[in-house]
Amino acid sequence: MISNNTLLVFVVVAVTLMLIGFGFRDRNLGVILAGVGFLGALAAAVYKAVQILG
């Protein structure tokens, strides 16, 4: 069974990838960079959580 935290991560990644996709569609570099920044922040938070809890 998928937990609530896993679903939250899936939703955040989906929204971030939508931001990146909208940026490519509109050729807006700022939206692309914002999406990449959100993705990097999520990766850093997951990495830190694995370090602390794992």
Side-chain angles (χ1 to χ4, degrees):
M1 178 122 192
I2 297 177
S3 69
N4 287 338
N5 290 336
T6 306
L7 287 176
L8 179 63
V9 169
F10 284 154
V11 168
V12 169
V13 169
V15 169
T16 303
L17 291 176
M18 282 181 10
L19 274 176
I20 294 172
F22 289 148
F24 276 123
R25 186 190 68 184
D26 295 338
R27 294 190 178 122
N28 188 346
L29 185 61
V31 177
I32 296 171
L33 289 176
V36 171
F38 287 143
L39 200 58
L42 179 67
V46 168
Y47 178 73
K48 193 63 173 178
V50 168
Q51 269 187 338
I52 292 172
L53 301 174

